[in-house]
Amino acid sequence: MYNGCPSLKGHMMSLPFYQKLHEHYDRSYHSKDLHTTTSQYQQEKKRSAIYTHGSAAYSSRSSAAHRQESQALSQASASSSYQQQGSQAYSLRATEYSLGSGVGQKAAAAYDYGYSHGFTDSSLLLEDYSSKLSSKANRAKKSLLSGEEKENLPSDYMVPIFSGRQVHVSGITDTEEERIKEAAAYIAQRKLLASEEGITTAKQSTASKQSMVSKQSTSTLQQEKAVEKKSRKVAIREKAEHLSLRKTLEETEAYHKKLNEDSLLHAPEFNIKPRSHTVWEKESVKLHCSVSGWPEPRLTWYKNQVPINVHANPGKYIIESRYGMHTLQINACDFEDTAQYRASAMNVKGELSAYASVVVKRYKGEFDDTCFHARVSTLPLSFAVTPYGYASKFEIHFDDKFDVSFGREGETMSLGCRVVITPEIKHFQPEIQWYRNGAPVFPSKWVQTHWSGERATLTFSHLNKEDEGLYTIRVRMGEYYEQYSAYVFVRDADAEIEGAPASPLDVMCLDANKDYIIISWKQPAVDGGSPILGYFIDKCEVGTDTWSQCNDTPVKFARFPVTGLIEGRSYTFRVRAVNKNGIGLPSRVSEAVAALDPAEKARLKSRPSAPWTGQIIVTEEEPTEGIIPGPPTDLSVTEATRSYVVLSWKPPGQRGHEGIMYFVEKCEAETQNWQRVNTELPVKSPRFALFDLAEGKSYSFRVRCANSAGVGEPSEATEVTVVGDKLDIPKPPGKIIPSRNTETSVVVTWEESKDAKELVGYYIESSVVGSGTWEPCNNNPVKGPRFTCHGLVTGQSYIFRVRAVNAAGLSDYSQDSEAIEVKAAIATPSPPCDITCLESFHDSMVLGWKQPDKTGGAEISGYYVNYREVIDGIPGKWREANIKAVSDQAYKISNLKENMVYQFQVAAMNITGLGEFSAASTPFKCEEWTIAVPGPPHDLKYSEVRKTSLVLHWKPPVYSGRTPVTGYFVDLKEANAKDDQWRGLNKAAIKNKYLKVQGLKEGVSYVFRVRAINQAGVGKPSDLAGPVVAETRPGTKEVVVNVDDDGVISLNFECDQMSPKSEFIWSKDYISTEDSPRLEVESKGNKTKMTFKDLGMDDLGVYSCDVTDTDGIASSYLIDEEELKRLLALSQEHKFPTVPIKSELAVEILEKGQVRFWMQAEKLSGNAKVSYIFNDKEIFEGLKYKMHIDRNTGIIEMFMEKLQDEDEGTYTFQLQDGKATGHSTLVLIDDAYKKLQKEAEFQRQEWIRKQGPHFAEYLSWEVTSDCNVLLKCKVANIKKETNIVWYKDEREISVDEKHDFKDGICTLLITEFSKKDAGIYEVILKDDRGKDKSRLKLVDEAFKELMTEVCKTIALSATDLKIQSTAEGIRLYSFVPYYLDDLKVSWSQNGTAVKYTDRVKSGVTGEQIWLQINEPTPNDKGKYVMELFDGKTGHQKTVDLSGQAYDEAYAEFQRLKNACACRSRPSGGRPPRRGHYPGG
């Protein structure tokens, strides 16, 4: 079969023997057509590729030019010795161009581009793809094939070894056409590894082809004008080949779509990242980066997350990309160029960004401008440069910070905080970096970062346990930075199978080569209640969504080599844990990894990317003749488990220039029986994983090298290796010690496991004392002997245990720790702040201050005050002002010197001891205050903080001025706003010492102040309260009003964050209600209830509940007059409840004439009861009445078979559901009852009628398009024996056709309907089950209506008016289906009714309606209208008898008239002939 095509024979014979035996390892060898397609694809690329930088340029020549050019190429190819291959190549190329294939068009366009720009030299246009191949070397006699294999191979078999490179794709593969092209390119490259076509081709043939290409390129214009003339036989043959190749291409394209896009695709990776720069103003700066990836990534530059547009600022930015190096040049920098710049690289595999900051220095003062151009600076490098000069320090603060967070797998989560930087510099953005457990976090498909200019956020689109850890945000400004950290916990997702283990985590690739990929993972903390039996590993080829399981039996070791991969393809992996209950959820998918040797992968990544030219460059290394490779060296067992053993070695030094393969052999200990492990498929990499070894047995291993010359000597055998896990499970940790931390967390420490190897980390579990249930504290193993367990319940006692984990498994649990109660660790309080003078006398002063920010976990028991004199600005020694602690946040210090200046400091105390003293206050002068206005209010506090509101409290000023305080004004501003941004909240002074501030913006930080007023005016403002962020904290609860079943009204509040010493404090209008006789308070645990004894107008006000010893937890409830009315009505309803009615009692008639009484309640309990009352007497279920209650829907029903006269009256349904009652009544008397009774009887008769044959639609009529009348009816419940009889005026009508009841329609057709057909029509259905009849009266008005419709249909069916010439004159006529006297006909000429005379006549002859004009005259010219009146509407037909129509008709009339006169002479003749003129 290969006689006519030696090249195909060469292809088949060059297939390596191991690929012949295992073709399933590469599906491309199954298709000869695919081989021809890809081979042709390579030839097209040799003739058309051009290597250019940047975007590929394509010419605009027509498709015809491409086809002619391809024909010329095929003719040149046909001149070679391979005639059949040339013809096939010609047909394939012609098909490619004619079908618009993406494989050939862009290559030809690139060639056209080179020709049109004058690149006639082949060295400029393309690289020589016809590699300089040597002739076949003489091989040594020694062979690596067995005798049986030699018999199946040709005698001249050789193993060709090639090295090749793939030109990278430019840009992103956007279309299916380009994906097919990339797949074809890869297949072609793989084909070359098994093909000898290039080796057997002579160098002279290659040179002749290149010269022919050059000649063809110079004569392209002549070829465009040439037209080839083909014979019919040649055309038919080529058409057949065209169709055959088109089918081949479609099959090949369908095959490509099933392939992976490209096994060598990989995501962008920065080889060189852009570097941050600090430059002077007016200088230029250039950022460089180099990025690799395949397809070649598309790179975009951003400034502060905004894409840079070079056209918006001409000359400002220059963006270049040359040979894989990307640059951004910023010219003439000014201070606005100070920003963060980002280079974003993207291709089909993903997106990666690299960041760099540019700081533009501005010199403050005089300087020599030449220093900038000379790039000389003598300034200290340690200075931080800002627009405000040198050595300015940035202060960085975090507001609205994220706290310890808890999430669940699969959920979304966002961490964020507001960053406040002072001084604020416009256009100078900070450098924001997030870290997880100290490692930087970069944007990916799992996590995204965002910086809005003042708020930094980190968003998780799909939480995984890998995301658990300590997250840190670091904000850097110049040389200064601050950071903040909090822990994120990720709980396991709910298991699909109850008791199944949780998903593993951190699935990654440890090692990858051509033969296998080693996958590792971390064991989960939750085993589902039973031990984990092992793990299943799944793989998925990149570009597909099909997962396949890699191991048949579960593996316990947390590492596994995956084999059976296709070289060059990329894969992702996931792991599932299994126990006796089932298989758990899969882990997060690993990153994609290619089945390539590391050296090959590094070579592909390091090669500079180039625009796609469709080239596949293949070179052959000159093999050394007859060299058999030597033995490998440094053979060792790198990993041994009970499931597999991994060997590694170094390639031999003596191996020639061609590639080598390896055979691995094993031998049981104490024997010399060596067995080859990989007999069918040689190993290509110097590493190999062995499976199916007997656990507990000992083995030695050795390796042989092989190439086309033969198999070399074996390496030195390894030491005896026992199959089993070399890595031991770690020992349990010891000495578990918990210690208090906060109100919801405990710090756990332990001694690390001894002699633990390859330790992954530790899992910590907690249990409430006495519960017996253990919960994981972390789902991602932590390293180190210390961990803070969050999310615990305050006041509960817990015990803890720890276990270690490595790849071999999890250790036993440690001993349980001692129990510890969860509460905050006690410490001394922090210093008080904002010391102010509230009132001053000639020998004493009253001071006020704010409570410390941190109370130390215990209630503050008092304060101590110190003071000192300040003379001429020099402070003296501190003296104690009080020996006994004061409980208030104000204190009067006596025995001071008048007109002396003093400073003060205050310290707070709790049960732990005395805290630190505050910083010295501002100096105050001791003198008598005589001012008229009041002093400042003090002790400002805020509570009930929500996202749009809060409540502000204060105490009145100690010094009220000369007159009493009459009210207060409250001001607020944003925390960072200037002092001129204060705004008042109340226009009129308020008397209350509290105010609920509303209308706040969520997330904004505010400060407040209060001023008192008396008759003299407004006094000095208080110290500031705040800053406080307007936000509703998670878990915030509100006061809830409740009305119980007895109508008792109460306010209820619940707090989940109480400490053991916390108490509930209720107040009305923020004044304690402890002694109120109208209220009763009951508190138990974390719940409290305040009950109103008799709610009335005296109880109007704001009721609030504060929880002491917490972080300001409080809530309030307003009872105004409207709310009071609502609560009293609700209380009345609860005291005397009613069953809510959804639908009142109603009645309806059912199909059989039954009567249904029904109503519906909103809801009914299982104990609901119903009483049925008729005319004040209760009725019960029996023969006459049927009752039913559906308690789920609340529907109550009563059925009656028939309504009789005695059933007229009043019906009532009475409901009782517990204490609640209800009723609904329906009155049925007089006309309402009679109507209902009549309808019920009608429905009953209708049901009886429908038991036999009956009419579904009664007799009716319609007028057909033929102007006939059709009587029709629709019948139902018919059988074969059913008879149908038609009657008119009680006389039976004989019907010729037999009725067919398939569609249920019975018809009677009356043709040419007229007055004689008037009458009463009746149709009767009857059989053994009964009969039914239907009557239709067609008399009087009904007949007139039908006749009108018939006349209308006849009029609409009339033909257009036509003109006919006769011997007497001209006739105008129209045909109708038939004529009725009821159809009135009138004629008009030019809008005037025609007057009928002996000369002008109108009439009807058969179906023709005509107007005869005898002896026509010019006065008869005009527009004639025939109107047909159907009784309601007129229908007109027109014809124009003027101009040429009249002349021709008149001439015909004269001719006929003369002819008739001749025939009427005495001599005799023929009778007159009428002429017909189809005018109009």
Side-chain angles (χ1 to χ4, degrees), residues 434-441 460 466-472 588:
W434 291 85
Y435 297 86
R436 177 174 58 239
N437 297 330
V441 176
F460 302 91
E466 288 85 347
D467 299 319
E468 182 174 293
L470 181 67
Y471 282 82
T472 302
R588 184 166 79 176

Side-chain angles (χ1 to χ4, degrees), residues 1318-1337:
I1320 300 175
Y1321 290 84
E1322 186 177 31
V1323 59
I1324 296 177
L1325 294 172
K1326 60 181 178 180
D1327 59 18
D1328 56 348
R1329 296 170 296 167
K1331 72 175 183 177
D1332 195 9
K1333 64 181 179 179
S1334 176
R1335 301 182 67 188
L1336 179 63
K1337 293 183 178 181

Side-chain angles (χ1 to χ4, degrees), residues 1210-1479:
T1210 302
Y1211 293 84
T1212 302
F1213 288 3
Q1214 293 181 351
L1215 287 72
Q1216 181 158 0
D1217 193 355
K1219 291 175 59 179
T1221 60
H1223 73 279
S1224 184
T1225 300
L1226 179 66
V1227 179
L1228 294 175
I1229 58 176
D1230 299 333
D1231 293 340
Y1233 179 77
K1234 293 178 181 178
K1235 181 179 179 182
L1236 181 68
Q1237 188 180 25
K1238 184 177 180 181
E1239 183 182 354
E1241 182 62 23
F1242 172 77
Q1243 291 293 344
R1244 191 171 68 85
Q1245 293 297 332
E1246 277 291 290
W1247 182 82
I1248 294 173
R1249 181 180 68 86
K1250 292 179 180 179
Q1251 302 310 301
H1254 63 276
F1255 290 94
E1257 295 179 5
Y1258 287 101
L1259 200 58
S1260 62
W1261 57 263
E1262 73 174 41
V1263 180
T1264 67
S1265 59
D1266 298 331
C1267 304
N1268 297 321
V1269 174
L1270 183 68
L1271 304 184
K1272 63 177 184 178
C1273 59
K1274 188 174 184 179
V1275 297
N1277 201 10
I1278 301 298
K1279 61 182 183 178
K1280 293 181 179 180
E1281 293 78 10
T1282 303
N1283 294 323
I1284 180 168
V1285 184
W1286 290 87
Y1287 293 89
K1288 179 191 176 188
D1289 297 333
E1290 298 182 356
R1291 291 185 179 182
E1292 184 176 349
I1293 303 173
S1294 61
V1295 181
D1296 296 335
E1297 60 184 30
K1298 189 177 181 180
H1299 289 286
D1300 185 4
F1301 297 115
K1302 289 183 178 180
D1303 54 358
I1305 303 296
C1306 295
T1307 60
L1308 177 65
L1309 182 65
I1310 305 174
T1311 59
E1312 296 189 2
F1313 189 83
S1314 61
K1315 292 182 179 180
K1316 63 181 176 62
D1317 297 311
I1320 300 175
Y1321 290 84
E1322 186 177 31
V1323 59
I1324 296 177
L1325 294 172
K1326 60 181 178 180
D1327 59 18
D1328 56 348
R1329 296 170 296 167
K1331 72 175 183 177
D1332 195 9
K1333 64 181 179 179
S1334 176
R1335 301 182 67 188
L1336 179 63
K1337 293 183 178 181
L1338 294 180
V1339 294
D1340 300 332
E1341 294 299 327
F1343 177 77
K1344 290 181 180 179
E1345 182 182 357
L1346 176 55
M1347 286 301 296
T1348 299
E1349 187 65 24
V1350 172
C1351 291
K1352 177 182 177 181
T1353 305
I1354 292 174
L1356 293 174
S1357 302
T1359 64
D1360 293 335
L1361 284 175
K1362 295 185 182 297
I1363 303 171
Q1364 180 183 14
S1365 298
T1366 66
E1368 292 81 14
I1370 299 175
R1371 173 173 289 190
L1372 308 181
Y1373 68 92
S1374 173
F1375 286 100
V1376 293
Y1378 65 92
Y1379 179 76
L1380 293 174
D1381 293 338
D1382 297 84
L1383 185 64
K1384 306 301 180 181
V1385 182
S1386 61
W1387 294 84
S1388 63
Q1389 178 190 10
N1390 296 329
T1392 304
V1394 174
K1395 295 181 180 180
Y1396 303 111
T1397 63
D1398 292 339
R1399 192 177 69 86
V1400 180
K1401 299 178 181 179
S1402 174
V1404 178
T1405 303
E1407 290 85 19
Q1408 187 186 68
I1409 303 173
W1410 49 265
L1411 175 68
Q1412 181 69 33
I1413 306 172
N1414 295 329
E1415 296 296 334
T1417 65
N1419 292 332
D1420 295 321
K1421 293 181 179 181
K1423 183 179 180 181
Y1424 286 84
V1425 178
M1426 178 187 72
E1427 184 176 73
L1428 302 177
F1429 185 72
D1430 61 14
K1432 291 184 179 180
T1433 308
H1435 308 275
Q1436 295 180 347
K1437 298 291 182 178
T1438 63
V1439 67
D1440 189 5
L1441 185 61
S1442 62
Q1444 182 180 359
Y1446 176 80
D1447 294 340
E1448 292 178 354
Y1450 186 79
E1452 181 68 12
F1453 155 68
Q1454 290 293 344
R1455 188 185 67 79
L1456 294 175
K1457 181 179 179 181
N1458 294 333
C1460 184
C1462 292
R1463 288 194 297 270
S1464 62
R1465 291 176 183 178
S1467 60
R1470 295 182 181 179
R1473 180 172 63 90
R1474 291 175 180 263
H1476 178 268
Y1477 175 71

